Amino acid sequence: SLTNVREFFTDWDRRLRVLQPVVRVMEPILCFRRNLLVESKRLLSAASQNTQPSALRQSVVNAIDGEIGKLWLRSVQMYREAGSLQQAQLCIMKATEYAPKTLFIEKAKLLWQKGDQAHAFKLLEEQLERMEAQCERNVRTLSAGDRALYAEAKYLQATYSADSMNSCAELNLRYFREAILGNHNSEKCYVQLAQYMEKIYESFSAEQQHGDTGRKLLLDIMVNYAKSLKTGCENVYQSLPRL
């Protein structure tokens, strides 16, 4: 059944977590899995020629396509993190055939890593605009998966904008808060927001820091570091000492 197929893919994900996340270890496994799934699709297609097409068979094929797309994106991420940007681009092209929803996130990350900041921003803006139009600007009405995707895209937009220093502080802060609106449990977003607020605080004069604006900003910084600790511990060495 389709449920069994999904449980099988979930088990596959668990198995990958115990492996060293480097190209030389992971890529042969990912390649084998992709080949196995492509062959499974071929066998399903051959079987359907002798019988009436069924909705279940098509659902299984769709699930297989979805998994192949995810496997290509895993390869993109690994090659990108290893600095093999050309190989990552080739995997992006392969993944495009399966149109995974998160493809634009990896495209934006790859563009940014290549130094093509303008196209990375443009891609994120276009996709975010499409998602906001879909929900009529009310992010809470998006499905859980789409809301998480929106939050991840907003997080990238916020961090890239903050790193590039091309936007005003108010706009960057808005981006971070919109990312949190999409995902209230994003530890990394709270940490990044607090770190960005610290940069703003450090740019203040001594008089501003000890004034009402500085004290309020300092409180916001502490609150966001505390919220990050409440939601996770991956960035505890960045958040707890600063708090």
Side-chain angles (χ1 to χ4, degrees):
S1 69
L2 184 58
T3 301
N4 291 336
V5 172
R6 287 172 176 162
E7 287 175 354
F8 178 77
F9 290 151
T10 301
D11 184 54
W12 263 10
D13 283 338
R14 293 194 188 102
R15 289 168 182 265
L16 287 179
R17 292 174 196 166
V18 301
L19 298 175
Q20 190 178 3
V22 295
V23 172
R24 63 180 177 81
V25 174
M26 295 280 282
E27 187 56 25
I29 296 170
L30 298 180
C31 184
F32 173 77
R33 289 184 177 185
R34 285 192 293 265
N35 291 338
L36 182 64
L37 292 176
V38 169
E39 180 62 15
S40 299
K41 272 184 63 181
R42 188 190 68 78
L43 293 174
L44 279 171
S45 177
S48 67
Q49 291 178 1
N50 302 321
T51 60
Q52 291 293 325
S54 69
L56 175 58
R57 186 180 292 111
Q58 187 57 48
S59 297
V60 170
V61 169
N62 292 341
I64 289 174
D65 280 343
E67 185 65 19
I68 295 173
K70 289 178 184 177
L71 291 170
W72 277 119
L73 290 185
R74 280 182 179 269
S75 293
V76 173
Q77 182 181 5
M78 283 195 308
Y79 280 119
R80 185 173 50 75
E81 291 175 352
S84 302
L85 304 189
Q86 185 175 359
Q87 193 64 38
Q89 183 61 50
L90 290 173
C91 292
I92 286 276
M93 294 169 64
K94 294 285 189 181
T96 302
E97 178 183 347
Y98 301 94
K101 279 189 173 183
T102 57
L103 179 61
F104 79 93
I105 295 287
E106 285 299 331
K107 279 185 176 179
K109 289 179 178 180
L110 184 58
L111 285 168
W112 186 266
Q113 200 165 337
K114 285 180 173 180
D116 194 349
Q117 297 182 350
H119 281 96
F121 276 125
K122 187 173 185 293
L123 177 60
L124 288 172
E125 285 173 0
E126 287 174 351
Q127 293 295 327
L128 285 165
E129 178 62 31
R130 182 185 60 78
M131 296 182 79
E132 288 169 357
Q134 175 188 336
C135 66
E136 298 180 346
R137 309 287 172 180
N138 187 356
V139 178
R140 292 186 179 90
T141 63
L142 291 171
S143 66
D146 284 346
R147 194 163 62 248
L149 183 58
Y150 174 86
E152 180 66 18
K154 267 292 175 186
Y155 168 77
L156 282 183
Q157 186 183 45
T159 52
Y160 290 171
S161 182
D163 287 346
S164 67
M165 304 298 287
N166 289 332
S167 302
C168 64
E170 290 79 7
L171 181 61
N172 293 337
L173 290 172
R174 195 193 85 194
Y175 287 156
F176 277 116
R177 288 176 178 132
E178 286 173 344
I180 290 170
L181 181 65
N183 182 5
H184 290 288
N185 297 313
S186 176
E187 178 199 0
K188 64 183 180 181
C189 200
Y190 285 118
V191 171
Q192 290 279 356
L193 174 56
Q195 289 175 339
Y196 183 68
M197 285 179 166
E198 275 204 83
K199 289 180 182 178
I200 296 174
Y201 181 80
E202 289 165 1
S203 71
F204 285 177
S205 65
E207 183 180 353
Q208 287 175 309
Q209 288 182 351
H210 292 93
D212 289 342
T213 302
R215 285 196 295 268
K216 183 179 183 304
L217 183 58
L218 196 58
L219 178 60
D220 285 341
I221 292 168
M222 291 189 288
V223 166
N224 280 290
Y225 276 131
K227 285 182 177 179
S228 77
L229 290 166
K230 183 180 178 181
T231 54
C233 59
E234 287 187 10
N235 298 276
V236 65
Y237 296 112
Q238 288 76 42
S239 54
L240 186 57
R242 295 307 301 157
L243 178 60

